[in-house]
Amino acid sequence: MPTPERTSLAEIVAQAARLLESGGPAAVTMQAVAAAVGVKAPSLYKRVRDREALLGLVGISTADELTRRLTDAGGDLGELLTVFRRFGQERPEAFRLLFASSIDPERLAATSEPVLRATAAIVGSERALDAARLLTSWALGFITMELTGAFRLGGDLDEAFAYGMRHIVGSLTVDQDAVRPAQGS
Amino acid sequence: MPTPERTSLAEIVAQAARLLESGGPAAVTMQAVAAAVGVKAPSLYKRVRDREALLGLVGISTADELTRRLTDAGGDLGELLTVFRRFGQERPEAFRLLFASSIDPERLAATSEPVLRATAAIVGSERALDAARLLTSWALGFITMELTGAFRLGGDLDEAFAYGMRHIVGSLTVDQDAVRPAQGS
DNA sequence: ACCTGAACACCGTTCAAGT
DNA sequence: ACCTGAACACCGTTCAAGT
């Protein structure tokens, strides 16, 4: 005789994400997730293959949320970069998970899309991919170091972010091969 | 009556690093490390506070190794970036650990030193820190995405790296405030 | 002074048994 | 058809007892 469902996959993923953000990956135990959705641990395996798959689903939902924010941000490159950074600050654990685990290529492509459109408008579709990778790499590295606390030599981080943004975006609007190097200091 | 030492802290850290690289963080169990150095798990606690502290020591030794390579690389910025990338490719797990966990600020300062010297020579000591952060962020992000396999939209990664390097290094030799934007595509 | 077996708490996962 | 208790393997860590 059928038993009524006491939870859902969506709720499981949501609670796992909540536990991740509040206590890091170690806090996402199957028992803690089960308790959060009002069920015992073995029941989770009806909806999820194992813990790794569950974390993968959290990663996917994180990617989708980021995609939504980027899409809503409009086409300005500075705006996109700022939204990206703010997302990392608001959900540091989810952000780390997203770029630590490997995500489904199609989801990632969707996340890249707003950035690609913005770079295409500046450097043309030919160079849009390289430019998007330049921007994404820099922002990812900056946010990672900011979250890890690797920026400990002092200085204003907001200013450092603006400095980087100015230089990176600026470099796209210049034909690098035509730039004559300035003298030192 | 004293018992002769059957291992050493250095050997423990070395074996932990070896296990990390060959099987990821999950392979670094206290039992596996103990077996690798010829001892039982409880004995490790004579030399290491707990597993987390052991991984911290692996991180420190990784930072020191990276510092050594960067110092030996000379002062050319492109050379430094290439050495950085190669290190990530050779020791992906150690690289990930290094930038995931938080490392002792002094060790990190030592690692930054070669980069800071190189940027100071180009933009002056005033802006050396911001410039070093720009370069390090970009390289860290690029390597992270390369290792995770996030670059799946095709294209030549060596070329993408060279593209980024050209633009980032190039942007340092230009006064961004004086650059007039080019028109789109 | 270092090493170990035994023990404990905790976790992921499986499965037979319940409804 | 979903849920659970019981069980298993495995892990980190502690500690009394060995040498």
Side-chain angles (χ1 to χ4, degrees):
Chain A
M1 193 183 291
T3 307
E5 310 193 346
R6 229 164 281 184
T7 184
S8 68
L9 180 58
E11 200 190 348
I12 289 170
V13 172
Q15 290 302 324
R18 206 179 53 75
L19 285 164
L20 173 69
E21 214 52 75
S22 65
V28 188
T29 67
M30 298 304 268
Q31 321 205 18
V33 174
V37 303
V39 106
K40 300 292 180 183
S43 296
L44 298 180
Y45 293 84
K46 282 285 157 184
R47 316 189 193 269
V48 140
R49 189 161 43 81
D50 54 18
R51 180 173 179 272
E52 192 186 329
L54 174 53
L55 288 176
L57 291 173
V58 173
I60 285 176
S61 94
T62 303
D64 290 348
E65 165 72 13
L66 178 58
T67 301
R68 213 172 304 125
R69 294 203 199 181
L70 290 175
T71 304
D72 292 351
D76 179 64
L77 227 41
E79 182 77 13
L80 289 173
L81 292 169
T82 302
V83 166
F84 193 46
R85 181 175 176 221
R86 189 153 42 223
F87 185 78
Q89 291 171 331
E90 275 176 30
R91 307 195 41 196
E93 294 293 345
F95 184 89
R96 260 191 280 263
L97 176 70
L98 182 56
F99 290 98
S101 68
S102 62
I103 299 291
D104 173 27
E106 282 190 38
R107 303 286 177 140
L108 215 65
T111 309
S112 316
E113 219 270 335
V115 182
L116 276 170
R117 252 188 312 157
T119 55
I122 295 178
V123 302
S125 59
E126 179 80 13
R127 282 307 202 174
L129 184 56
D130 277 341
R133 282 173 171 166
L134 172 62
L135 287 158
T136 307
S137 293
W138 168 73
L140 169 59
F142 189 97
I143 297 163
T144 299
M145 293 187 75
E146 186 177 16
L147 294 182
T148 309
F151 284 149
R152 265 172 296 205
L153 295 180
D156 186 323
L157 283 193
D158 288 345
E159 202 185 319
F161 192 78
Y163 172 93
M165 205 161 83
R166 208 162 57 236
H167 279 253
I168 300 241
V169 175
S171 79
L172 296 181
T173 66
V174 170
D175 181 355
Q176 288 307 135
D177 299 325
V179 164
R180 138 181 66 219
Q183 63 272 32
S185 118
Chain B
M1 195 184 288
T3 308
E5 310 193 347
R6 229 165 282 185
T7 183
S8 67
L9 180 58
E11 200 190 350
I12 289 170
V13 173
Q15 290 301 325
R18 205 179 52 76
L19 285 164
L20 173 69
E21 213 55 73
S22 64
V28 188
T29 67
M30 297 303 270
Q31 321 205 19
V33 174
V37 303
V39 108
K40 300 292 179 183
S43 298
L44 297 180
Y45 293 84
K46 283 284 157 184
R47 317 190 194 268
V48 141
R49 189 161 43 81
D50 55 18
R51 181 175 179 271
E52 193 186 327
L54 174 54
L55 288 176
L57 291 174
V58 172
I60 286 177
S61 94
T62 302
D64 289 350
E65 166 71 13
L66 178 57
T67 301
R68 212 171 306 125
R69 293 204 199 181
L70 291 175
T71 305
D72 292 352
D76 180 63
L77 227 42
E79 181 77 15
L80 288 173
L81 291 168
T82 301
V83 166
F84 194 47
R85 181 176 177 221
R86 188 152 44 222
F87 185 78
Q89 291 171 330
E90 278 176 29
R91 306 195 42 197
E93 294 292 345
F95 185 88
R96 260 191 280 262
L97 176 71
L98 182 56
F99 289 98
S101 68
S102 62
I103 297 292
D104 174 26
E106 283 191 37
R107 303 287 177 138
L108 215 66
T111 309
S112 316
E113 221 270 336
V115 182
L116 276 170
R117 253 189 311 161
T119 56
I122 295 178
V123 302
S125 59
E126 180 79 13
R127 281 306 202 176
L129 183 56
D130 277 341
R133 281 172 172 166
L134 171 62
L135 288 157
T136 307
S137 293
W138 167 72
L140 169 58
F142 189 96
I143 297 162
T144 297
M145 293 187 77
E146 186 176 17
L147 293 182
T148 308
F151 285 148
R152 265 171 296 202
L153 295 180
D156 186 322
L157 284 194
D158 288 345
E159 201 184 320
F161 191 79
Y163 172 93
M165 204 160 83
R166 206 162 58 236
H167 279 252
I168 299 241
V169 175
S171 79
L172 296 182
T173 67
V174 170
D175 180 355
Q176 289 308 133
D177 300 324
V179 165
R180 140 182 63 218
Q183 64 272 33
S185 115

